[in-house]
Amino acid sequence: MLIVQKYGGTSVGSVERIKAVAQRIGQTVAQGHQCVVVVSAMGHTTDNLIELAKQISSRPSAREMDMLLTTGEQVSIALLSMALQEQGHAAVSMTGWQAGIRTEAVHGKARIEAIDTDKIRRLLDAGNIVIVAGFQGVTETGEITTLGRGGSDTTAVALAAALKADLCEIYTDVTGVFTTDPRIVPEARKLPVVSYDEMLEMAILGAGVLHPRSVECAKLYGVKLVVRSSFTDETGTIIQEVSPVEQSLVVTGIAFDDDVVKVQVDGLPSDSGALARLFTLLAEQRINVDVIVQSQRSENEINLAFSIAEDDRVRAEETLAARRESLGFRHVAFEAGLAKVSIVGAGMMTNPGVAAMCFRYLSEAGIPIKMVTTSEIKVSCVIPRDRMEEAVNRLHNAFGLADESPSS
């Protein structure tokens, strides 16, 4: 079997942890498998590098930030390769560009466009363990890029897809995917299997176990994923296609995001072109828009509310202020201190009334709902951040997710 393994920053956070990871990789190879390993930067290295940049410049160029941040993964791949060699294994470390990972020409949040796997395959065929730096790639013109936070997950799944690997194992500091974050709800339960669609929704909505783009890629190419801990041998969670018969739960999990900002745009022209211009402008600035609520202000004007991430707030403020006249709106306001709490479950497609139950449980607790968005398998509510933990606990208990066999 060809197995791609990914180890996050906490898994390689010290020399001792790197040696332990090398032992685990060695066990995989001893079982007769070929192994490609994707590694993140050690511990808080990326955060420390960002802090260094801030001490130099309040607004460093995106290109130079990519040059800086990619050094973190280079440290961990070299050290892990050395650790494997010390244990008697043939191992070769490769940066993203050496591994043939080509991306679009966008700094900070680049997407992978293609992977040339020839060099990796030659190294594997020669008996090597190949250690690849996650989170990074190179453009067609040779510019170094990064894939954004969580990009190492995407690197691992994309490599697994390109190499047609039999399995992609994501090693982290948790033992799998839980019904919600155990730090918020101690009774949260580990799920043995989660569908691609459910995992994608949970990842988008704030579950930090996997990066959304990695799940998208896994679903698109049918990559079998396993999320498990690098600190124990405990069985993890399998992410794969699940048939409707197997989707026994109405609600599979509760996801949350505590960095939500509501943007209120009043007096926008009511023609459809105005909406297109506004959201195209935000997209060009790489500002992701989530919940969208539109209401009629007058015959010719609408009011528009939408949510964005806290990290995008400054760019959104600058962008909308600079284009106010061309967009034609009267006023814009930003409300921070919000969170988004979401229930997710493929079983919701065949069980009407789940959204009503969610709203009722929050209403009974006196938790105000500022915005709502739904899909076939999720209901998301934007609420005050200081009520988020209460809401997560209430919904988790109300939908019976702490039980071994929740009722559907």
Side-chain angles (χ1 to χ4, degrees):
M1 286 178 62
L2 171 57
I3 297 176
V4 175
Q5 296 181 341
K6 179 260 177 178
Y7 293 90
T10 54
S11 299
V12 293
S14 66
V15 170
E16 290 72 23
R17 288 303 312 152
I18 289 172
K19 290 179 178 179
V21 165
Q23 290 280 2
R24 189 180 289 269
I25 296 167
Q27 292 169 6
T28 302
V29 173
Q31 294 168 4
H33 305 307
Q34 291 183 314
C35 201
V36 175
V37 181
V38 175
V39 186
S40 298
M42 294 174 65
H44 298 288
T45 298
T46 301
D47 291 333
N48 294 337
L49 291 172
I50 291 172
E51 186 58 36
L52 282 174
K54 288 180 179 177
Q55 293 177 33
I56 297 293
S57 170
S58 60
R59 302 194 69 171
S61 78
R63 181 188 185 277
E64 300 310 324
M65 283 301 294
D66 278 357
M67 290 292 287
L68 175 67
L69 297 184
T70 50
T71 63
E73 281 71 23
Q74 291 185 55
V75 172
S76 52
I77 61 170
L79 291 176
L80 180 55
S81 184
M82 293 174 193
L84 284 162
Q85 291 165 6
E86 282 295 303
Q87 294 175 14
H89 300 285
V92 177
S93 65
M94 304 178 76
T95 62
W97 43 99
Q98 288 175 320
I101 299 172
R102 185 163 59 80
T103 75
E104 62 182 350
V106 175
H107 289 292
K109 292 183 180 179
R111 286 183 173 269
I112 295 173
E113 292 185 334
I115 301 179
D116 183 350
T117 60
D118 288 348
K119 190 171 182 180
I120 292 177
R121 290 191 180 279
R122 287 197 300 270
L123 289 168
L124 289 171
D125 291 342
N128 292 284
I129 301 168
V130 180
I131 315 298
V132 179
F135 177 66
Q136 58 186 245
V138 66
T139 69
E140 197 169 4
T141 59
E143 287 292 311
I144 294 171
T145 57
T146 62
L147 310 182
R149 285 298 183 134
S152 292
D153 290 346
T154 307
T155 302
V157 177
L159 278 171
L163 292 164
K164 295 180 170 57
D166 299 282
L167 179 65
C168 182
E169 297 180 312
I170 306 293
Y171 284 92
T172 180
D173 56 353
V174 295
T175 57
V177 179
F178 284 71
T179 49
T180 195
D181 190 334
R183 292 170 297 184
I184 301 296
V185 183
E187 301 81 16
R189 184 172 51 86
K190 187 173 72 176
L191 298 162
V193 179
V194 178
S195 72
Y196 289 127
D197 288 337
E198 289 172 325
M199 190 67 247
L200 181 56
E201 286 284 11
M202 291 172 73
I204 290 171
L205 295 168
V209 180
L210 285 173
H211 192 279
R213 277 189 286 170
S214 70
V215 185
E216 281 182 328
C217 184
K219 177 178 170 62
L220 180 63
Y221 294 100
V223 175
K224 183 178 180 181
L225 290 178
V226 175
V227 178
R228 56 189 305 189
S229 171
S230 62
F231 296 87
T232 72
D233 292 324
E234 191 175 329
T235 304
T237 299
I238 299 170
I239 292 96
Q240 62 184 18
E241 205 63 69
V242 178
S243 70
V245 175
E246 296 173 288
Q247 292 168 344
S248 59
L249 306 182
V250 175
V251 175
T252 299
I254 312 291
F256 57 87
D257 178 1
D258 62 359
D259 284 317
V260 175
V261 173
K262 177 184 175 183
V263 184
Q264 180 75 41
V265 180
D266 292 337
L268 189 71
S270 60
D271 64 281
S272 58
L275 286 174
R277 289 190 296 274
L278 172 62
F279 289 120
T280 297
L281 179 63
L282 295 173
E284 289 172 350
Q285 297 300 315
R286 297 275 164 171
I287 298 170
N288 288 322
V289 174
D290 185 21
V291 185
I292 302 173
V293 178
Q294 177 185 323
S295 60
Q296 199 73 31
R297 178 186 176 98
S298 66
E299 185 178 347
N300 298 316
E301 293 182 337
I302 60 171
N303 290 340
L304 186 69
F306 56 90
S307 65
I308 60 174
E310 181 72 50
D311 288 346
D312 292 332
R313 176 177 177 173
V314 173
R315 274 183 299 137
E317 287 178 337
E318 293 174 348
T319 300
L320 293 177
R323 298 293 294 273
R324 178 177 174 178
E325 284 191 19
S326 61
L327 291 171
F329 61 85
R330 294 177 182 273
H331 177 71
V332 62
F334 293 79
E335 181 182 358
L338 302 176
K340 181 174 61 181
V341 175
S342 309
I343 58 172
V344 179
M348 292 165 60
M349 288 188 286
T350 54
N351 287 270
V354 178
M357 293 169 64
C358 174
F359 301 149
R360 187 177 78 244
Y361 295 141
L362 295 178
S363 175
E364 288 173 351
I367 299 172
I369 301 172
K370 293 179 173 286
M371 303 173 76
V372 172
T373 184
T374 65
S375 74
E376 287 185 321
I377 65 169
K378 72 106 188 287
V379 177
S380 295
C381 301
V382 175
I383 63 174
R385 185 184 298 161
D386 59 7
R387 305 296 298 275
M388 183 192 75
E389 292 192 16
E390 179 187 356
V392 172
N393 273 275
R394 185 169 183 83
L395 292 173
H396 193 272
N397 293 333
F399 284 105
L401 296 181
D403 301 334
E404 284 299 324
S405 299
S407 61
S408 59

